[in-house]
Amino acid sequence: MKPSKELLFFYDCEWVPISRNLEEFERDYPALYEAFLHQYKKKGGDIIKERKNLEEKPEGMTVQEFWEEKAHFYPEFCKIICISYGYFYNGEFILKSVYGDDEKKLLKAFQEVLLKVEKAGLFLSGYAIKRFDMPWVSKRMMANGIVPPKSVFTYGKKPWEIEVFDLPEVWGQGSMGESYTPFELACASLGLETSKGDLDGSMVKFAYWNGEMERIKTYCEKDVEVAKNLAEKLISLMP
């Protein structure tokens, strides 16, 4: 697949744990909290071994540490706070964002955008969106009672039936290991500016709880801009 850049729709998401801390999570989402404890015991494995009292401190990672370090890897325990997207229109790259505290409102707005994208016959593109952004958007829509558009709902589709221009797969050229190349490394290898600045993915949740939504939006839009630049470079170098 060597698409024209005008047929690509780029997007990137930012998310944070659904609660500010473990105490608020336990209070506000008791059922999810119990599921989280189950994951803690299950994923802890030889770190925490088998123990009956979760209040006891294990030899390794505590429940609090698991929350702080691992919760953001689970869409079930997080909420999307920003989706930035971009596309070409009359030769100009248009960059927009939906963002804020109301996840359902945000996702409903993006659902409408994706339906228009599907109608226009555009292909989704971004960096590792098959592994992250697509299932995250789909799962969080479903968690909010929203039917995800077909473009992000991939259940039942064979890998080659998912028409997505996923940039790490293009850069990896069929090698599974290479498809996990970090975004910054792929960009640097091709002489492109990366999206690194005063904010990175590990800092987003702290920026969010500090009320820095505009800063997060700027960071997310920068990722989309860089993904667009990478896609243009890759397309120009594809045989």
Side-chain angles (χ1 to χ4, degrees):
M1 178 184 182
K2 182 180 179 179
S4 163
K5 66 180 183 180
E6 286 79 14
L7 289 178
L8 298 179
F9 176 84
F10 302 88
Y11 82 99
D12 184 61
C13 304
E14 300 299 334
W15 53 78
V16 297
I18 202 167
S19 297
R20 183 189 298 265
N21 53 52
L22 193 60
E23 291 73 24
E24 289 184 6
F25 181 53
E26 180 180 10
R27 181 194 67 205
D28 298 336
Y29 305 95
L32 277 176
Y33 177 75
E34 289 301 318
F36 178 78
L37 291 184
H38 178 72
Q39 287 300 111
Y40 168 67
K41 290 186 288 183
K42 179 181 177 182
K43 296 295 183 180
D46 57 0
I47 296 178
I48 68 170
K49 304 186 185 302
E50 287 293 326
R51 64 193 186 91
K52 297 180 180 179
N53 189 353
L54 283 171
E55 297 303 317
E56 294 177 1
K57 184 177 179 180
E59 296 178 4
M61 185 177 286
T62 64
V63 177
Q64 181 66 40
E65 290 169 339
F66 191 72
W67 168 260
E68 293 174 354
E69 299 180 25
K70 303 297 181 181
H72 59 278
F73 289 111
Y74 295 84
E76 295 81 3
F77 305 134
C78 292
K79 65 177 181 178
I80 293 175
I81 57 169
C82 181
I83 304 177
S84 296
Y85 57 93
Y87 54 92
F88 286 94
Y89 183 74
N90 289 337
E92 180 184 357
F93 188 66
I94 309 298
L95 191 58
K96 298 182 179 181
S97 294
V98 289
Y99 62 107
D101 298 316
D102 190 334
E103 184 188 38
K104 187 171 185 176
K105 180 180 179 181
L106 178 160
L107 291 173
K108 188 65 180 175
F110 193 58
Q111 177 201 43
E112 295 175 3
V113 171
L114 287 177
L115 291 174
K116 292 178 181 178
V117 167
E118 291 178 2
K119 189 175 181 179
L122 303 182
F123 298 99
L124 300 185
S125 186
Y127 207 87
I129 60 173
K130 278 188 183 180
R131 296 202 305 272
F132 296 107
D133 304 82
M134 290 172 63
W136 275 75
V137 166
S138 184
K139 284 186 176 183
R140 292 312 304 166
M141 282 185 175
M142 295 173 79
N144 280 277
I146 300 169
V147 178
K150 293 180 181 179
S151 55
V152 292
F153 186 76
T154 59
Y155 170 72
K157 295 180 182 178
K158 298 178 177 64
W160 55 88
E161 294 175 336
I162 304 173
E163 296 184 312
V164 175
F165 195 64
D166 205 351
L167 302 179
E169 292 186 359
V170 181
W171 177 244
Q173 301 180 46
S175 170
M176 190 62 180
E178 289 292 333
S179 68
Y180 286 85
T181 302
F183 192 15
E184 293 79 10
L185 178 54
C187 290
S189 298
L190 291 170
L192 298 173
E193 177 187 355
T194 70
S195 54
K196 281 191 172 181
D198 67 337
L199 191 66
D200 61 43
S202 66
M203 300 163 61
V204 167
K205 63 180 179 180
F206 301 110
Y208 176 72
W209 298 120
N210 285 332
E212 300 177 287
M213 274 304 312
E214 290 296 327
R215 184 182 177 203
I216 294 169
K217 178 182 80 82
T218 298
Y219 166 69
C220 195
E221 289 184 349
K222 179 67 174 177
D223 267 355
V224 174
E225 183 81 32
V226 173
K228 181 265 295 183
N229 294 339
L230 178 59
E232 288 184 295
K233 188 65 175 283
L234 288 171
I235 291 171
S236 72
L237 294 170
M238 292 173 68

